[in-house]
Amino acid sequence: MGRLLALTLAYLAHLLAAAIGSERQQHHVQHGRCSYTFILPEVQHCQPLKDFQVTNTLQRDSPPEAEPEASQSRPGKAQRERPSLQERKLDHLESAMENNTQWLQKLENFIQENVRSGMEEMKRTAVHTQTAAMLEMGTNLLSQSAEQTRKLTDVETQVLNQTSRLEIQLLEYSLFTNRLEKHILLQTQEISRLSDKNSFLEQRLLALEARYGRELQGLQSEKQQLQELLERQSGLVSQLQGELSSSTLNSSSLQRQQAVLTDTVQQLLAMVNHCNEISNAPKEELLSFRDCAEILRSGVTESGIYSIRLTNSTQTVKVFCDMKTRGGGWTVLQHRRNGSVNFHRGWRDYKMGFGEPSGEHWLGNDIIHTLTSSQEYSLHVQLKDREGNEAFSNYDRFHIDGEDNNYSLHAEGFSGTAGRTSSLTHTGTPFSTKDRDNDRCTCKCSQLASGGWWFEACGPSNLNGIYYPSSSSVVRYNGIKWYYWKGPNLMTTMTTMMVRPANF
């Protein structure tokens, strides 16, 4: 295509040089929308060929068509007149122009074909280049997409792992929340129970206040009656003084009668002393036993009430001896069976003892201390619930301190069927009553749980609580309790605490 353009330019330059070298005349040609200006060569000395004819009539500047008459007369005139130089130049110019026009048309067709093929080649090259670029860009995009996909996969894996960890933590938090809710529910229930218990205690306190008010009113009425009686007695004393003054006359006879009565009384006293000496000989033998184990060894096998003499003391005590349970020889310290005796008492009552040995009773802390300190004793606790189930707790070594140490408990070597572990409080726990609080709780366990017992922080046991009838189904926390056998509320029908020598 470059050579073709060069040839075209050379030819045009040749034509331009030929036109400039002679007398040149410009010639304008209008072809469609394009206008061409030519400087044609002059052919003065060239004779045109006879058969030369201008075929490209479209490019010739022909004069306007003449009328037919003029055209018919033109050949005759041409034959008659010789053509002028200007006409000959014009004919040569038209002939050259026609040849140039044909040559230019061919050149134009050739250029168009070459340009078209070059453009198509350039288009194909551009398409191939663009296709290669697009493929390369696609490859890069695919690589980047794969890399991004790998990164997204890694991120997704990390997100899944983090999500799994978060789900596990959420589950743990949920479990912890459930446990906390259960704990709060239990605490709420416990608060509700304590509130009910507090309400019960308030009602009981109100009842006690009402009873004490009635008793106070009764005492005031009794005081008034005593005052009235005292006034009457004062009147009687005045009357008796008058009668005494009148009876002084008979004093001599009364003195003689008094002397006779004195002699009679002295004789009766002598007879009583003699009878006591006779009856004391066998009693001394019976009172020489210091516990029920010695009575059993002496041959007595029937359970019942017997008198014992405490070691290093002249005091004799009536006790109930159990001669049947686990070989017998047990000295009963505490017994409950029907709730007939009130065990919610003060320090002095528990110190001295109360009740009857044949029924419900507490032997007394002073007696229990003296008895269990004389030698090593074992403790046996016998229990029975309202369904008739029986159980026991046995302690190989048991004793309590004196009053100066608040009758502190010492019990070791637990065994038995009343629970998997001991329900007694720890060794060294002091005794508490409603009027002497020695426990380790600010709530005064003896008043809340009722009765006197070895309370530590209210503790897992209290055999001296309120005796509720077996028909009651209400859970009460101030009743008889042996926690590790029947929980906080033992609906019992019988409890017994008894001791015998550890080497029995």
Side-chain angles (χ1 to χ4, degrees):
M1 181 177 180
R3 289 192 306 170
L4 185 60
L5 290 174
L7 290 173
T8 304
L9 292 174
Y11 179 74
L12 291 176
H14 173 73
L15 290 179
L16 181 60
I20 293 173
S22 60
E23 294 179 0
R24 301 288 187 260
Q25 183 179 359
Q26 294 183 352
H27 185 72
H28 297 278
V29 177
Q30 186 71 30
H31 181 65
R33 295 174 60 186
C34 298
S35 177
Y36 301 95
T37 301
F38 298 98
I39 300 176
L40 301 177
E42 299 200 8
V43 287
Q44 295 178 0
H45 304 288
C46 294
Q47 294 296 327
L49 297 177
K50 294 182 179 181
D51 57 353
F52 175 78
Q53 294 180 359
V54 177
T55 59
N56 189 2
T57 58
L58 294 176
Q59 299 296 328
R60 59 185 299 185
D61 293 334
S62 57
E65 294 181 358
E67 295 179 357
E69 294 179 357
S71 62
Q72 290 177 1
S73 62
R74 185 176 180 181
K77 187 178 181 178
Q79 290 177 359
R80 283 181 284 110
E81 293 181 3
R82 186 179 179 180
S84 65
L85 178 61
Q86 188 68 27
E87 290 177 352
R88 290 197 303 272
K89 289 182 180 179
L90 183 59
D91 292 335
H92 287 295
L93 182 58
E94 288 178 356
S95 177
M97 190 63 189
E98 182 179 0
N99 293 331
N100 291 332
T101 301
Q102 292 178 358
W103 188 87
L104 285 174
Q105 287 179 353
K106 293 179 181 179
L107 182 61
E108 184 180 359
N109 293 332
F110 178 78
I111 290 171
Q112 288 179 355
E113 290 178 359
N114 282 277
V115 168
R116 188 181 298 109
S117 61
M119 291 297 293
E120 291 177 355
E121 184 67 23
M122 291 175 64
K123 288 180 180 179
R124 284 195 297 270
T125 304
V127 169
H128 291 164
T129 304
Q130 291 178 358
T131 304
M134 293 297 290
L135 289 175
E136 184 177 359
M137 292 174 62
T139 304
N140 294 331
L141 289 174
L142 288 174
S143 301
Q144 294 177 2
S145 177
E147 182 66 21
Q148 293 296 328
T149 302
R150 184 183 64 79
K151 291 181 179 179
L152 288 175
T153 303
D154 294 338
V155 171
E156 184 178 2
T157 304
Q158 294 176 1
V159 170
L160 289 176
N161 294 333
Q162 187 69 19
T163 303
S164 300
R165 286 195 295 272
L166 291 176
E167 288 179 352
I168 293 172
Q169 291 179 0
L170 182 62
L171 181 60
E172 292 176 353
Y173 292 156
S174 178
L175 294 175
F176 176 76
T177 304
N178 290 334
R179 289 195 297 268
L180 186 60
E181 289 178 351
K182 291 180 181 178
H183 182 69
I184 292 173
L185 181 60
L186 293 175
Q187 292 295 327
T188 304
Q189 294 176 353
E190 185 67 21
I191 291 171
S192 178
R193 288 195 293 268
L194 290 175
S195 178
D196 295 339
K197 188 174 183 179
N198 188 27
S199 300
F200 171 75
L201 291 174
E202 289 179 353
Q203 293 176 1
R204 186 174 178 183
L205 180 61
L206 292 174
L208 290 174
E209 289 178 352
R211 189 179 71 181
Y212 290 152
R214 291 193 297 270
E215 290 179 355
L216 182 61
Q217 291 177 358
L219 290 174
Q220 289 177 352
S221 62
E222 288 180 0
K223 180 181 177 181
Q224 186 175 1
Q225 292 175 1
L226 288 174
Q227 288 177 351
E228 294 175 356
L229 181 61
L230 181 61
E231 292 176 355
R232 288 196 300 268
Q233 291 295 332
S234 298
L236 290 175
V237 168
S238 300
Q239 184 179 357
L240 287 173
Q241 286 178 353
E243 291 178 356
L244 180 62
S245 63
S246 64
S247 64
T248 53
L249 299 174
N250 299 324
S251 59
S252 58
S253 60
L254 291 174
Q255 288 176 357
R256 288 192 297 269
Q257 292 178 1
Q258 185 178 4
V260 173
L261 289 173
T262 303
D263 293 336
T264 304
V265 169
Q266 289 178 353
Q267 292 175 2
L268 290 173
L269 289 174
M271 293 175 64
V272 169
N273 289 331
H274 181 68
C275 292
N276 287 335
E277 291 176 358
I278 294 174
S279 60
N280 281 337
K283 287 183 179 179
E284 288 177 358
E285 294 179 358
L286 293 175
L287 292 176
S288 62
F289 301 117
R290 58 182 179 178
D291 56 29
C292 294
E294 291 188 355
I295 296 175
L296 180 64
R297 290 192 184 101
S298 70
V300 178
T301 59
E302 293 296 328
S303 299
I305 300 173
Y306 297 92
S307 296
I308 61 173
R309 176 178 290 174
L310 301 177
T311 303
N312 299 326
S313 174
T314 59
Q315 182 182 4
T316 59
V317 181
K318 288 184 177 182
V319 297
F320 187 90
C321 295
D322 185 342
M323 302 300 188
K324 303 298 182 182
T325 303
R326 298 174 65 86
W330 296 100
T331 303
V332 177
L333 309 180
Q334 184 256 25
H335 183 65
R336 305 188 72 178
R337 63 184 181 186
N338 54 19
S340 60
V341 176
N342 178 22
F343 274 69
H344 190 49
R345 296 173 178 257
W347 184 266
R348 180 174 176 79
D349 288 343
Y350 274 97
K351 174 183 177 181
M352 304 303 296
F354 54 87
E356 294 297 330
S358 60
E360 294 194 339
H361 72 284
W362 180 261
L363 187 58
N365 288 338
D366 279 346
I367 299 173
I368 296 173
H369 163 64
T370 304
L371 177 63
T372 58
S373 299
S374 62
Q375 59 177 322
E376 194 172 72
Y377 276 83
S378 62
L379 171 67
H380 186 79
V381 180
Q382 190 74 26
L383 304 169
K384 184 178 181 180
D385 65 7
R386 62 182 179 180
E387 285 83 16
N389 301 313
E390 294 187 9
F392 70 91
S393 293
N394 195 76
Y395 300 87
D396 296 336
R397 293 171 298 281
F398 168 79
H399 73 278
I400 66 172
D401 295 333
E403 186 176 13
D404 53 347
N405 288 328
N406 296 318
Y407 304 115
S408 296
L409 173 72
H410 299 274
E412 299 176 355
F414 166 76
S415 62
T417 60
R420 64 182 184 277
T421 186
S422 172
S423 292
L424 277 178
T425 53
H426 299 91
T427 294
T429 302
F431 197 84
S432 295
T433 59
K434 64 181 181 179
D435 57 349
R436 186 173 295 189
D437 182 32
N438 295 317
D439 57 50
R440 295 188 178 92
C441 181
T442 58
C443 58
K444 296 184 179 181
C445 298
S446 180
Q447 294 184 6
L448 289 176
S450 190
W453 193 251
W454 294 279
F455 299 106
E456 184 177 11
C458 294
S461 64
N462 178 18
L463 296 184
N464 293 334
I466 296 177
Y467 187 103
Y468 289 103
S470 59
S471 60
S472 175
S473 60
V474 180
V475 176
R476 304 179 188 274
Y477 292 92
N478 59 348
I480 298 173
K481 179 170 65 173
W482 199 259
Y483 183 84
Y484 291 108
W485 183 42
K486 290 293 183 177
N489 186 34
L490 172 61
M491 294 297 183
T492 183
T493 58
M494 186 273 293
T495 68
T496 304
M497 297 175 62
M498 45 193 177
V499 295
R500 73 181 178 188
N503 58 359
F504 181 80

